[in-house]
Structure formats: C-alpha cells, structure tokens
Amino acid sequence: MVHIGYTMMTEQAGPRDLVAHVVGAERAGFDFSVTSDHYSPWLATQGHSPYAWSVLGAAAQATTRIPLMSYVTCPTTRYHPAVIAQKAATVQLLSEGRFRLGLGSGENLNEHVVGQGWPPAPVRLDKLAEAIEIIRALFGGGEVTHHGAHFDVVHARLWDVPEVLPPIGVAVSGERSCEIAGRLADLVISTEPGAELLDAFDRHGGRGKPRVGQLPVSYDSDRDAAIGRAHDQFRWLVGGWRVNAELPGPTAFEGATRYVRPDDVAEAVPCGDDVGRFVEAVRPYVDAGFTEVALVQIGGDRQEPFLNWAETALLPAPREL
C-alpha cells in the first residue's frame, strides 16, 4: 500500500492557515505531511512565503499524530548546516519524534536573497554533501569543529538532542544527487516518478530505504475552475527542475511561463473531482517504486473543500494501489 501525504505549501497560504490546514489533514486521515521551505513564491499570484520552520513548530504543537517533514530545505546558503541541525533537532523534540528532515541543493529563487551568488549544480551538490556530514556530526551530541571545502564550524554543539534522531531525506534529480542520497540519507525524495532515479539511489546504497514523491493536484467540482487555478498558480511546474532551480524570482517565472497554456498544465496536473483521474496520476509513482506520495492541493483558499473531499472520496482509493 502507498502512503498518501498532505503538503503545507508555504507559497500559497499564510502561517496560521497552513497550521489549520495540517490539522485538517490529520483529521481527514492523511498518512503524513510535508512542508515547503521558500523565501519567495514561484509566481506572485501564489502570494505567500512565511518562514517554514516557525510553521513546523506550530504544527508540531497543533497536531498529535501526523508526521511532519521539510520538503525540502537547502542547508547551504540561506541557512548554515549547523543551524539546520539545531532547527531539526528542536522540531523533532516538539513533535515527539514525528519529524523528518528533507534536504536538497536548493533553488536560486530562494537562496539568492543573501547575496552569495548562485553556484553551478556540481558545486551545489558538493556543498549539500558536506552539509549533511556536518548535520550528522552535530546529531551525535558532541562538540564539532569542521573546516571543509565550503563550511566552517567552530566548537558547535547541540544542547537539546532527541533520543530518536530525525531521519534525513535527500531530493534527487540525477546521478550525483542519487549518489549523495544513497550514501548519506535515510530516504530519498523526488518530485517526479522516475524509476531510473530510484534505481540509481539503490545502486549507491539506498536499497530498502523509503522513497517519497510529490504530486500537485487541483480539486474542484468545476473542472474548468480547477484547470484555471492550476494554470494561474502552478504553470511554473512545466519548466522542469533544471530550469526552475536557476530562475531568480517570481518575475522571471512569469516571463518563462508566458506561453504555457491551461491545457499544458492540465496534462501534468489532475484537475476536477474525478477520483479515478487522481488515482491514475498517483499510479506512476507506485509503479516506479515510491512508498509515499504527498499531494499538493493548488490554491490556498481551496484547502478545506479538498480536505473534506479527500476524507470521503479520495483517500480510500489510491492506498489500494
């Protein structure tokens, strides 16, 4: 059975609403939840981008059962890995062991704000690997001093370390990221149902570890309205991650998606209220070998109707896959 998760999409709702949404997701019966970690929305029409770690702390207190996860945090530019280790340990304690730390090499959209430039992909991945090693060392509870190729840590120690450490996930998109994930992570993360990515993850040591995917959806009883909303707020998706990781802000995404049509988005995102259409969109992830799939309901003001529909109609269906 595949586990179905819920996404707190920080780009499309404010902090109080996001917490209310994950409370609703727990009540509806979702198996787990994930939280995006952005400084900017992809498009101005999304309209939000609160600090994800405050949201996670509040969610940990407002819920009792549903697992939480960053999906994903970049531990190399906006955040130093030593600070990521402290944040992850704290959320794990607040949630009483329900947190997983999802990491990735980041996007220019969010990381450029600190003025350190945006390095090429090979450098970003080298920084990611070094950051994970620092986080692992700090999770050990002792004092850490590290002088590496990209980061320095001087006499750092976590004073509040959970007995059960948060598992670390790594987002993958190619061979090098799969090598890092297989060697250093406890689970793998992908936003596309690529069996070749999971095969590479397995080759590098990931065999038997959980694999978590993500799927945007646009529920609405009016399918045309669902398609229109998906096009308005999520058309950036069709650019692919090699493009999306490089663009510097919402204005750039506006320009890059100027000629994306609503039909183009409808081909990539299940829209409407046909349960079968949604189940078939999950199926490629299951066939590829994913054990968990987090759904993203598009539209911050459409979460409550989606959660009600998911509880009664959607959730019982894809689990049978």
PDB file of all heavy atoms in Angstrom, residues 10 13 33 51 80 99-100 117 121 146 177 179 185 191 204 228 242 248 270 279 294:
ATOM      1  N   THR A  10       3.877  26.481   1.505  1.00  0.00           N
ATOM      2  CA  THR A  10       4.050  27.802   2.101  1.00  0.00           C
ATOM      3  C   THR A  10       3.922  28.936   1.089  1.00  0.00           C
ATOM      4  O   THR A  10       3.693  30.081   1.476  1.00  0.00           O
ATOM      5  CB  THR A  10       5.417  27.903   2.800  1.00  0.00           C
ATOM      6  OG1 THR A  10       6.461  27.670   1.846  1.00  0.00           O
ATOM      7  CG2 THR A  10       5.531  26.896   3.933  1.00  0.00           C
ATOM      8  N   ALA A  13      -0.204  30.104   1.150  1.00  0.00           N
ATOM      9  CA  ALA A  13      -1.034  30.378   2.328  1.00  0.00           C
ATOM     10  C   ALA A  13      -0.171  30.974   3.425  1.00  0.00           C
ATOM     11  O   ALA A  13       1.034  30.719   3.505  1.00  0.00           O
ATOM     12  CB  ALA A  13      -1.726  29.107   2.823  1.00  0.00           C
ATOM     13  N   SER A  33       2.633  14.412   6.452  1.00  0.00           N
ATOM     14  CA  SER A  33       2.596  15.748   5.851  1.00  0.00           C
ATOM     15  C   SER A  33       4.012  16.208   5.545  1.00  0.00           C
ATOM     16  O   SER A  33       4.986  15.744   6.154  1.00  0.00           O
ATOM     17  CB  SER A  33       1.929  16.759   6.794  1.00  0.00           C
ATOM     18  OG  SER A  33       2.744  16.998   7.925  1.00  0.00           O
ATOM     19  N   TYR A  51       7.919  31.843   7.045  1.00  0.00           N
ATOM     20  CA  TYR A  51       9.077  31.067   7.474  1.00  0.00           C
ATOM     21  C   TYR A  51       8.637  29.653   7.857  1.00  0.00           C
ATOM     22  O   TYR A  51       7.906  29.435   8.823  1.00  0.00           O
ATOM     23  CB  TYR A  51       9.739  31.767   8.656  1.00  0.00           C
ATOM     24  CG  TYR A  51      10.998  31.125   9.157  1.00  0.00           C
ATOM     25  CD1 TYR A  51      12.066  30.858   8.297  1.00  0.00           C
ATOM     26  CD2 TYR A  51      11.139  30.805  10.505  1.00  0.00           C
ATOM     27  CE1 TYR A  51      13.228  30.284   8.765  1.00  0.00           C
ATOM     28  CE2 TYR A  51      12.309  30.235  10.987  1.00  0.00           C
ATOM     29  CZ  TYR A  51      13.351  29.979  10.120  1.00  0.00           C
ATOM     30  OH  TYR A  51      14.511  29.406  10.590  1.00  0.00           O
ATOM     31  N   HIS A  80      22.995  27.990   7.371  1.00  0.00           N
ATOM     32  CA  HIS A  80      24.210  27.223   7.597  1.00  0.00           C
ATOM     33  C   HIS A  80      23.815  25.842   8.117  1.00  0.00           C
ATOM     34  O   HIS A  80      22.846  25.709   8.878  1.00  0.00           O
ATOM     35  CB  HIS A  80      25.089  27.943   8.637  1.00  0.00           C
ATOM     36  CG  HIS A  80      26.455  27.372   8.787  1.00  0.00           C
ATOM     37  ND1 HIS A  80      26.706  26.214   9.506  1.00  0.00           N
ATOM     38  CD2 HIS A  80      27.675  27.795   8.320  1.00  0.00           C
ATOM     39  CE1 HIS A  80      27.999  25.953   9.479  1.00  0.00           C
ATOM     40  NE2 HIS A  80      28.610  26.891   8.759  1.00  0.00           N
ATOM     41  N   PHE A  99       9.181  14.054  13.121  1.00  0.00           N
ATOM     42  CA  PHE A  99       9.767  14.909  12.091  1.00  0.00           C
ATOM     43  C   PHE A  99      10.810  14.169  11.266  1.00  0.00           C
ATOM     44  O   PHE A  99      11.601  13.377  11.793  1.00  0.00           O
ATOM     45  CB  PHE A  99      10.413  16.139  12.735  1.00  0.00           C
ATOM     46  CG  PHE A  99      11.050  17.072  11.747  1.00  0.00           C
ATOM     47  CD1 PHE A  99      10.285  17.757  10.823  1.00  0.00           C
ATOM     48  CD2 PHE A  99      12.424  17.259  11.742  1.00  0.00           C
ATOM     49  CE1 PHE A  99      10.871  18.621   9.893  1.00  0.00           C
ATOM     50  CE2 PHE A  99      13.025  18.115  10.832  1.00  0.00           C
ATOM     51  CZ  PHE A  99      12.241  18.790   9.905  1.00  0.00           C
ATOM     52  N   ARG A 100      10.835  14.449   9.964  1.00  0.00           N
ATOM     53  CA  ARG A 100      11.892  14.017   9.058  1.00  0.00           C
ATOM     54  C   ARG A 100      12.469  15.251   8.382  1.00  0.00           C
ATOM     55  O   ARG A 100      11.730  16.150   7.977  1.00  0.00           O
ATOM     56  CB  ARG A 100      11.369  13.030   8.010  1.00  0.00           C
ATOM     57  CG  ARG A 100      10.893  11.712   8.593  1.00  0.00           C
ATOM     58  CD  ARG A 100      10.437  10.735   7.533  1.00  0.00           C
ATOM     59  NE  ARG A 100       9.193  11.157   6.898  1.00  0.00           N
ATOM     60  CZ  ARG A 100       8.583  10.469   5.922  1.00  0.00           C
ATOM     61  NH1 ARG A 100       9.112   9.347   5.466  1.00  0.00           N
ATOM     62  NH2 ARG A 100       7.464  10.916   5.409  1.00  0.00           N
ATOM     63  N   GLY A 117      25.529  34.791  -4.392  1.00  0.00           N
ATOM     64  CA  GLY A 117      25.573  34.250  -5.741  1.00  0.00           C
ATOM     65  C   GLY A 117      24.940  32.871  -5.794  1.00  0.00           C
ATOM     66  O   GLY A 117      24.494  32.312  -4.788  1.00  0.00           O
ATOM     67  N   ALA A 121      25.522  23.643 -10.606  1.00  0.00           N
ATOM     68  CA  ALA A 121      24.958  22.465  -9.952  1.00  0.00           C
ATOM     69  C   ALA A 121      26.007  21.572  -9.292  1.00  0.00           C
ATOM     70  O   ALA A 121      25.787  21.104  -8.163  1.00  0.00           O
ATOM     71  CB  ALA A 121      24.118  21.672 -10.947  1.00  0.00           C
ATOM     72  N   HIS A 146      34.783  21.913  12.369  1.00  0.00           N
ATOM     73  CA  HIS A 146      34.914  21.407  10.991  1.00  0.00           C
ATOM     74  C   HIS A 146      35.426  22.538  10.115  1.00  0.00           C
ATOM     75  O   HIS A 146      34.908  23.656  10.151  1.00  0.00           O
ATOM     76  CB  HIS A 146      33.537  20.930  10.498  1.00  0.00           C
ATOM     77  CG  HIS A 146      33.472  20.640   9.027  1.00  0.00           C
ATOM     78  ND1 HIS A 146      33.681  19.386   8.498  1.00  0.00           N
ATOM     79  CD2 HIS A 146      33.206  21.455   7.961  1.00  0.00           C
ATOM     80  CE1 HIS A 146      33.538  19.421   7.186  1.00  0.00           C
ATOM     81  NE2 HIS A 146      33.252  20.669   6.830  1.00  0.00           N
ATOM     82  N   SER A 177      23.165  13.456  -7.361  1.00  0.00           N
ATOM     83  CA  SER A 177      22.296  13.593  -6.191  1.00  0.00           C
ATOM     84  C   SER A 177      21.839  12.234  -5.688  1.00  0.00           C
ATOM     85  O   SER A 177      21.689  12.023  -4.473  1.00  0.00           O
ATOM     86  CB  SER A 177      21.093  14.492  -6.499  1.00  0.00           C
ATOM     87  OG  SER A 177      20.370  14.018  -7.618  1.00  0.00           O
ATOM     88  N   GLU A 179      23.672   9.541  -5.796  1.00  0.00           N
ATOM     89  CA  GLU A 179      24.828   9.016  -5.063  1.00  0.00           C
ATOM     90  C   GLU A 179      24.879   9.582  -3.654  1.00  0.00           C
ATOM     91  O   GLU A 179      25.132   8.866  -2.677  1.00  0.00           O
ATOM     92  CB  GLU A 179      26.107   9.341  -5.830  1.00  0.00           C
ATOM     93  CG  GLU A 179      27.386   8.782  -5.209  1.00  0.00           C
ATOM     94  CD  GLU A 179      27.978   9.690  -4.154  1.00  0.00           C
ATOM     95  OE1 GLU A 179      27.869  10.928  -4.299  1.00  0.00           O
ATOM     96  OE2 GLU A 179      28.523   9.150  -3.162  1.00  0.00           O
ATOM     97  N   ALA A 185      21.789   9.497   3.060  1.00  0.00           N
ATOM     98  CA  ALA A 185      20.418   9.746   3.506  1.00  0.00           C
ATOM     99  C   ALA A 185      19.732   8.483   4.009  1.00  0.00           C
ATOM    100  O   ALA A 185      20.144   7.363   3.714  1.00  0.00           O
ATOM    101  CB  ALA A 185      19.598  10.363   2.362  1.00  0.00           C
ATOM    102  N   THR A 191      10.281  14.786  -6.985  1.00  0.00           N
ATOM    103  CA  THR A 191       9.021  15.367  -7.418  1.00  0.00           C
ATOM    104  C   THR A 191       8.581  14.828  -8.767  1.00  0.00           C
ATOM    105  O   THR A 191       7.635  15.343  -9.361  1.00  0.00           O
ATOM    106  CB  THR A 191       9.135  16.897  -7.492  1.00  0.00           C
ATOM    107  OG1 THR A 191      10.238  17.236  -8.331  1.00  0.00           O
ATOM    108  CG2 THR A 191       9.359  17.495  -6.108  1.00  0.00           C
ATOM    109  N   HIS A 204      23.590   3.086  -5.111  1.00  0.00           N
ATOM    110  CA  HIS A 204      24.518   3.816  -4.251  1.00  0.00           C
ATOM    111  C   HIS A 204      24.241   3.604  -2.763  1.00  0.00           C
ATOM    112  O   HIS A 204      24.741   4.387  -1.941  1.00  0.00           O
ATOM    113  CB  HIS A 204      24.489   5.305  -4.595  1.00  0.00           C
ATOM    114  CG  HIS A 204      25.034   5.612  -5.960  1.00  0.00           C
ATOM    115  ND1 HIS A 204      26.369   5.480  -6.276  1.00  0.00           N
ATOM    116  CD2 HIS A 204      24.409   6.029  -7.099  1.00  0.00           C
ATOM    117  CE1 HIS A 204      26.559   5.833  -7.537  1.00  0.00           C
ATOM    118  NE2 HIS A 204      25.388   6.158  -8.063  1.00  0.00           N
ATOM    119  N   GLY A 228      -8.078  26.374 -14.457  1.00  0.00           N
ATOM    120  CA  GLY A 228      -7.711  27.788 -14.446  1.00  0.00           C
ATOM    121  C   GLY A 228      -6.850  28.144 -13.246  1.00  0.00           C
ATOM    122  O   GLY A 228      -5.865  28.891 -13.371  1.00  0.00           O
ATOM    123  N   ARG A 242      15.565  21.528 -13.861  1.00  0.00           N
ATOM    124  CA  ARG A 242      16.827  22.094 -14.338  1.00  0.00           C
ATOM    125  C   ARG A 242      16.662  23.580 -14.664  1.00  0.00           C
ATOM    126  O   ARG A 242      17.604  24.361 -14.533  1.00  0.00           O
ATOM    127  CB  ARG A 242      17.327  21.329 -15.560  1.00  0.00           C
ATOM    128  CG  ARG A 242      17.721  19.888 -15.243  1.00  0.00           C
ATOM    129  CD  ARG A 242      18.394  19.199 -16.417  1.00  0.00           C
ATOM    130  NE  ARG A 242      18.653  17.796 -16.134  1.00  0.00           N
ATOM    131  CZ  ARG A 242      19.675  17.352 -15.436  1.00  0.00           C
ATOM    132  NH1 ARG A 242      20.550  18.220 -14.949  1.00  0.00           N
ATOM    133  NH2 ARG A 242      19.836  16.064 -15.224  1.00  0.00           N
ATOM    134  N   PRO A 248      15.639  33.505 -10.867  1.00  0.00           N
ATOM    135  CA  PRO A 248      15.884  34.212  -9.615  1.00  0.00           C
ATOM    136  C   PRO A 248      14.672  34.763  -8.878  1.00  0.00           C
ATOM    137  O   PRO A 248      14.818  35.231  -7.749  1.00  0.00           O
ATOM    138  CB  PRO A 248      16.794  35.362 -10.059  1.00  0.00           C
ATOM    139  CG  PRO A 248      16.352  35.650 -11.456  1.00  0.00           C
ATOM    140  CD  PRO A 248      15.982  34.327 -12.043  1.00  0.00           C
ATOM    141  N   PRO A 270      -3.641  16.515 -12.315  1.00  0.00           N
ATOM    142  CA  PRO A 270      -5.034  16.074 -12.325  1.00  0.00           C
ATOM    143  C   PRO A 270      -5.940  17.178 -11.788  1.00  0.00           C
ATOM    144  O   PRO A 270      -5.673  17.751 -10.731  1.00  0.00           O
ATOM    145  CB  PRO A 270      -5.035  14.850 -11.401  1.00  0.00           C
ATOM    146  CG  PRO A 270      -3.831  15.009 -10.548  1.00  0.00           C
ATOM    147  CD  PRO A 270      -2.814  15.739 -11.375  1.00  0.00           C
ATOM    148  N   VAL A 279      -6.272   9.006  -8.974  1.00  0.00           N
ATOM    149  CA  VAL A 279      -5.622   7.719  -8.706  1.00  0.00           C
ATOM    150  C   VAL A 279      -4.645   7.374  -9.827  1.00  0.00           C
ATOM    151  O   VAL A 279      -3.523   6.906  -9.578  1.00  0.00           O
ATOM    152  CB  VAL A 279      -6.674   6.610  -8.532  1.00  0.00           C
ATOM    153  CG1 VAL A 279      -6.019   5.231  -8.497  1.00  0.00           C
ATOM    154  CG2 VAL A 279      -7.485   6.837  -7.258  1.00  0.00           C
ATOM    155  N   ALA A 294       3.116  12.604  -1.507  1.00  0.00           N
ATOM    156  CA  ALA A 294       2.492  13.770  -0.888  1.00  0.00           C
ATOM    157  C   ALA A 294       1.746  14.568  -1.952  1.00  0.00           C
ATOM    158  O   ALA A 294       2.334  14.942  -2.971  1.00  0.00           O
ATOM    159  CB  ALA A 294       3.539  14.640  -0.204  1.00  0.00           C
TER     160      ALA A 294
END
